[in-house]
């Protein structure tokens, strides 16, 4: 039995960030990761001999603050590309390239509308950004820190100016479709821009809920002016996090699955690994998803009835599948000189909505909306010389597909390849290996119940002081010494390390 | 094994029941209910009084009386996770409850507010019955989240049950052939062959006197009733209606839902629900057993010590303090609470009541403002109250094994 101040369950990027901040503050920290490598959904893994990819791969949410605090650049973190353009594609139409500054290839009207769209949304994103990085306030407790956070939130909205504040209040719960229809005309452009509102959630362009807020979260990074692509896949980022945590004195053990959190007299006393080994710690922080953390690792017998019910009701079924293809050569995409950038194979919002309709009832579309990147174009660490990796997010792949994924895997993959070949005729013949990760695979391979991008739906009912639910939303839980630091905590999913950093700060403040 | 709850499937329900439901004893109870005085309990016709509420009440103290408790809601919780699930739901330690015993229990919300009370029967290691005056299926299901290996079944219709209460109850059961029943200790369970099957007898009740509850297959209900009344003739058996039971339970110190407290899931306004600490149920909150739902909130409330208190009052005069407001001064300047139940107690020969008062006034002077009628004319009276800490009615025979005359 070994002794630590703090044991962290999971070396996802949030667990690592949390460990680094706590170790930096002098705590004796042990990180226990079930898998054989660190990084969680961000780990870069070899999926075919010589071909590597990470499930998550771009860094739109990462902030310079974290990179600097943890000296990540010193530990090897670098970008393969500062700002990757997004390319709106539709069969038979010429692509539209989108950067943070401008559109190219779009109509005059859409091009004229784009700067105002960017101005408004960037302004909103900036106003809200500080709150992603703070502990959510609790209403009605009268805590001074909480009141200050709420006050500052109100003030930041007010500071937008009367007109823009009213616009934010009006737009905040709009479905993505309404937002896009207000600004643009081109179907493919609107679909491409709507993607970041809904990706990862059980939402489609016509769904009202948190689409705009999710978009603002996606816009919260400030690393570069565009969409950054890390070198070495997202694993490049998490390896640097692990090196940073280690340099501050944290210990990281892989292949160490935690089976349960040990409780002694209502407080945490440590964890037990699946091999029976026990580790003593007075603070245990879970990077696992909330359902796993509370219902499996802790157990309902330690929790109140209504709290347990709220946790068990969290919507955590993922709808995104990930596809990795090993390609013999650079594929040709119709209308593009080179398939650089983030290629949005989403001809219209209706196309996305129809795919969602299938998924709602446990099926999936023949023509699948896809977000495609070929990172090996700018990063030769990912594929053998001359060969390439294609990496795609595919919506919608329901976790609970009717009949189970075993019987649908081949068909889904065939649909994805058929969709791809509409844009890149003949691409199938260039594929030497394919890895399809459905939400069920993500669940199994990353110890993530439901295989959800955000660990638990990022929606109005599970946002801010309700993330993952009240009673566990301030990086504290009903169990003294037990904390959450994963994507199921505030602010949510995406590579930014903020759940981990916020949790570390909250734990240090409370001592 | 996924958690299973055995409800009737919606497509097998061909009609919604309208009107009153009859207990398995109805033909017998109705025959004795000479004035046809009924109330409705969980949808069932339940006798208010058969002939005379006072006579019936006296049978619980002098001979024995029978009350039809079949309308009670009864649930069976069975499976490897049953003990852990119940232990986390109720406030007492289920892990140390022996097989074939019964424990009076309560269950609370996360905020430590009382939802309901009831009796928990442990019929085997992994098989329990929970009996409560009101429906609780919903809360059981909610409480079972996270405990997959169990099955919850509403067995209310599968059991016909009678409470047999009073000093001659043991002798009567013995005379009916249930020999050995005299060795049943309070809160224990015994089984005997009966009718086509079995009778379960628990030494439990709601009158505070010697008494038993009898559980049989509804098909054997009338047989049980008939045997009780034929053999029971010489033991002074009487049927009991709700009015007489209400008197007995006040003397015994049992709480009545929707009289002394409102279940937390049914109150609307803040503060209209109750913590068990307020209701003097601290004695069945086991803070040492590990976690249970509401524990943190209750521990906090207990430490603060500022909660209201339900206290027993002996009130001067003989006018029951029903619905009275309580004050800490005779001048009625400061309201400190109200009376939840009150009666003139025939056995104790005292004017007794339960008062729910603000904690800080529980040990000081208490005055009750009583309104009573003299030939239709309303009279107001201020009566001094004395706080009583011992139970009003707790005869030795209720605890003895074997009971003295058995
Ligand atoms: C298909 C897909 C694509 C994505 N793409 C992007 C993207 O391009 N950009 C972006 O910013 N975000 C992306 N995301 C979202 C992002 O990947 C996640 O929100 C983020 O990785 C969550 O990080 P985390 O550290 O909180 O959790 P995770 O990365 O899930 O890490 C949790 C870790 O805990 C470990 N663990 C769990 N249980 C135990 C246990 N009992 N014992 C020991 N260890 C345990 C797991 O093995 C895992 O390593 C994507 C998500 C998906 C599903």
């Amino acid at each position: 039995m070994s002794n630590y101040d703090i044991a962290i369950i999971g070396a996802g990027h949030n667990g690592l960030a949390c460990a680094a901040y706590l170790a930096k503050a002098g705590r004796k920290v042990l990180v226990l990761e079930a898998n054989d490598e660190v990084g969680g959904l961000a780990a870069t893994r070899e999926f075919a001999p010589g071909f590597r990819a990470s499930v998550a791969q771009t860094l739109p949410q990462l902030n310079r603050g974290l990179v600097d605090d943890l000296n990540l650049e010193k530990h090897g973190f670098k970008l393969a590309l500062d700002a990757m353009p997004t390319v709106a594609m539709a069969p038979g139409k010429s692509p539209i390239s989108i950067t943070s500054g401008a559109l190219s290839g779009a109509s005059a009207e859409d091009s004229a509308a784009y700067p105002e769209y960017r101005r408004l949304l960037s302004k909103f994103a900036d106003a809200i950004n500080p709150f992603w990085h703070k502990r959510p306030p609790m209403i009605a407790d009268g805590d001074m820190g909480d009141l200050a956070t709420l006050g500052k939130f109100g003030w930041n909205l007010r500071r937008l100016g009367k007109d823009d504040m009213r616009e934010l209040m009006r737009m905040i719960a709009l479905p993505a479709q309404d937002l896009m229809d207000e600004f643009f005309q081109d179907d493919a452009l609107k679909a491409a821009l709507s993607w970041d509102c809904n990706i990862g959630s059980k939402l489609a362009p016509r769904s009202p809920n948190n689409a705009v807020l999710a978009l603002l979260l996606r816009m919260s990074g400030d690393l570069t002016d565009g969409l950054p692509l890390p070198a070495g896949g997202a694993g490049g980022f998490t390896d640097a996090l692990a090196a940073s945590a280690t340099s501050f004195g944290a210990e990281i053990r892989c292949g160490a699955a935690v089976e349960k959190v040990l409780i002694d007299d209502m407080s945490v006393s440590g964890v037990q690994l699946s091999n029976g080994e026990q580790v003593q710690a007075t603070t245990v922080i879970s990077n696992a998803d909330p359902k796993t953390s509370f219902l499996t690792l802790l157990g309902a017998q330690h929790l109140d009835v209504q709290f347990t019910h709220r946790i068990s009701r969290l919507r955590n079924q993922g709808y995104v599948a990930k596809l990795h293809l090993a390609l013999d050569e650079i594929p040709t995409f119709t209308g593009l000189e080179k398939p650089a950038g983030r290629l949005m194979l989403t001809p219209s919002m209706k196309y996305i909505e129809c795919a969602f309709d299938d998924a709602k009832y446990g099926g999936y579309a023949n023509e699948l909306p896809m977000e495609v990147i070929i990172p090996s174009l700018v990063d030769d660490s990912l594929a053998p010389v001359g060969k390439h990796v294609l990496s795609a997010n595919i919506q919608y792949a329901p976790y609970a597909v009717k009949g189970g994924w075993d019987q649908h895997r081949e068909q889904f993959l065939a649909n994805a390849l058929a969709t791809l070949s509409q844009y890149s005729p003949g691409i199938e013949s260039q594929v030497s290996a394919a890895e399809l990760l459905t939400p069920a695979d993500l669940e199994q391979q990353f110890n993530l119940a439901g295989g959800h991008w955000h660990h638990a739906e990022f929606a109005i009912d599970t946002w801010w002081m309700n993330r993952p639910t009240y009673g566990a939303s301030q990086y504290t839980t009903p169990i003294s010494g037990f904390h959450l630091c994963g994507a199921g905590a505030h602010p949510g999913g995406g590579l930014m390390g903020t759940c981990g950093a916020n949790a570390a700060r909250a734990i240090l403040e409370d001592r | 094994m996924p958690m299973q709850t055995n409800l009737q499937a919606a497509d097998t329900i061909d009609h919604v029941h309208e009107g009153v439901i009859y207990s398995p004893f109805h033909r017998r109870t109705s025959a004795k209910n000479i004035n046809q005085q009924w109330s409705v309990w969980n949808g069932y016709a339940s006798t208010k009084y058969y002939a005379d509420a006072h006579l019936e009440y006296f049978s619980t103290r002098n001979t024995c009386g029978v009350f039809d408790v079949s309308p009670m809601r009864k649930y069976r919780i069975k499976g490897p996770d049953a003990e852990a699930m119940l232990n986390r739901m109720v406030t007492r330690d289920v892990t140390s409850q022996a097989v074939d015993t019964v424990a009076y229990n309560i269950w609370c919300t996360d905020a430590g507010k009382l939802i309901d009370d009831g009796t928990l029967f442990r019929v085997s290691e992994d098989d329990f019955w929970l009996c409560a005056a009101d429906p609780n299926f919903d809360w059981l299901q909610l409480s079972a989240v996270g405990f997959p290996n169990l099955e919850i079944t509403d067995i209310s219709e599968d059991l016909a049950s009678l409470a047999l209460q009073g000093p001659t109850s043991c002798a009567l059961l013995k005379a009916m052939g249930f020999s050995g029943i005299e060795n049943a200790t309070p809160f224990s369970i015994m089984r005997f062959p009966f009718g086509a099957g079995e009778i379960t007898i628990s030494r439990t009740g709601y009158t505070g006197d010697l008494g038993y509850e009898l559980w049989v297959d509804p098909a054997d209900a009338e047989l049980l009733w008939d045997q009780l009344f034929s053999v029971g003739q010489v033991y002074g058996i009487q049927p009991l209606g709700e009015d007489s039971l209400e008197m007995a339970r006040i003397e015994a110190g049992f709480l009545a839902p929707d009289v002394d407290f409102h279940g937390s899931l049914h109150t609307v306004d803040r503060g209209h629900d109750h913590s068990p600490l307020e209701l003097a149920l601290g004695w069945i909150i086991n803070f040492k057993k590990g976690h249970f739902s509401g524990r943190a909130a209750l521990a906090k409330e207990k430490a603060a010590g500022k909660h209201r208190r339900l206290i027993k009052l002996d009130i001067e005069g003989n006018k029951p303090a029903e619905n009275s407001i309580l004050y800490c001064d005779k001048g009625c300047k400061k309201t400190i609470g109200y009376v939840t139940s009150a009666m003139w107690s025939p056995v104790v020969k005292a004017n007794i009541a339960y008062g729910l008062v603000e904690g800080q006034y529980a040990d000081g002077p208490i005055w009750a403002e009583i309104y009573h009628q003299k030939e239709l004319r309303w009279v107001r009276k201020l009566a001094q109250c004395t706080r009583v800490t011992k139970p009003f009615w707790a005869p030795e025979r209720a605890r003895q094994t074997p009971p003295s005359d058995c």
Side-chain angles (χ1 to χ4, degrees), chain B residues 11 16 26 34 40 73 79 85 103 106-107 139 145 151 162 182 184 186 210 224 230 248 272 280 319 367 381 400:
Chain B
D11 55 7
V16 175
H26 186 75
I34 56 173
V40 176
R73 299 295 85 189
M85 173 268 177
I106 52 171
W107 43 101
W139 188 254
V145 172
E151 214 178 88
L162 294 176
E182 68 277 13
L210 176 64
L224 176 63
S230 63
H272 284 198
K319 300 290 175 244
W367 293 84
K381 153 175 190 188
Q400 279 170 346

Side-chain angles (χ1 to χ4, degrees), chain B residues 192-257:
Chain B
F192 302 89
F194 185 77
E198 201 178 57
I199 183 169
T200 298
I201 303 182
S202 55
R203 189 166 164 190
T204 47
Y206 196 53
T207 60
D209 216 301
L210 176 64
Y212 302 83
E213 285 170 315
L214 319 176
W215 314 81
V216 294
D217 186 320
D220 292 329
E222 292 184 350
L223 176 69
L224 176 63
W225 182 278
D226 294 343
Q227 285 196 10
L228 278 167
F229 278 84
S230 63
V231 183
Q233 200 86 61
V234 294
Y235 296 91
I237 195 166
Q238 284 280 343
L240 301 177
E242 288 185 1
D243 291 359
S244 58
L245 191 70
E246 173 68 5
M247 292 189 249
R249 75 93 194 161
I250 295 176
E251 288 175 344
F254 290 113
L255 301 183

Side-chain angles (χ1 to χ4, degrees), chain B residues 61-99:
Chain B
R61 302 301 180 220
N62 299 329
T63 55
C64 67
V66 173
F67 184 79
D68 179 6
V69 282
S70 304
M72 260 208 306
R73 299 295 85 189
K74 299 165 282 264
Y75 307 97
R76 182 176 197 173
I77 303 100
K78 184 171 162 50
D81 283 348
E83 180 190 84
M85 173 268 177
L86 287 164
N87 195 47
R88 178 306 205 95
M89 178 177 126
V90 303
T91 57
R92 291 178 92 171
D93 187 1
V94 180
T95 64
S96 67
Q97 182 177 344
V99 171

Side-chain angles (χ1 to χ4, degrees), chain A residues 43-191:
Chain A
T44 301
R45 312 185 304 173
E46 188 172 66
F47 67 94
F51 294 88
R52 300 163 71 234
S54 53
V55 172
Q57 60 179 5
T58 58
L59 301 174
Q61 296 171 227
L62 188 60
N63 279 256
R64 168 69 32 205
L66 182 117
V67 173
D68 289 347
D69 282 355
L70 302 179
N71 307 322
L72 295 188
E73 279 156 348
K74 194 185 114 201
H75 292 292
F77 170 64
K78 57 178 192 293
L79 297 180
L81 199 61
D82 274 2
M84 196 169 28
T86 295
V87 187
M89 313 271 291
K93 282 172 64 179
S94 53
I96 298 171
S97 173
I98 309 165
T99 63
S100 56
L103 304 180
S104 77
S107 69
E109 288 89 343
D110 283 346
S111 298
Y114 187 65
E116 171 59 9
Y117 168 83
R118 280 296 304 186
R119 181 197 72 79
L120 205 55
L121 283 157
S122 305
K123 202 172 164 190
F124 295 163
D126 290 347
I128 286 187
N129 198 19
F131 301 94
W132 303 126
H133 300 276
K134 274 186 202 301
R135 180 198 329 226
M138 210 57 215
I139 296 177
D141 266 8
D143 177 88
M144 287 314 283
D146 288 351
L147 292 176
T149 303
L150 281 170
K152 189 143 188 303
F153 188 74
W155 172 239
N156 269 21
L157 296 192
R158 191 65 195 88
R159 250 190 1 191
L160 291 168
K162 191 167 156 192
D163 292 345
D164 287 350
M165 181 180 82
R166 286 173 157 184
E167 277 298 276
L168 174 60
M169 306 296 269
R170 182 180 70 81
M171 286 159 70
I172 197 74
L174 280 185
Q177 172 155 330
D178 298 58
L179 180 68
M180 297 308 153
D181 284 347
E182 278 184 26
F183 286 90
F184 306 108
Q185 284 164 4
D186 183 85
D187 283 341
L189 174 67
K190 290 194 278 193

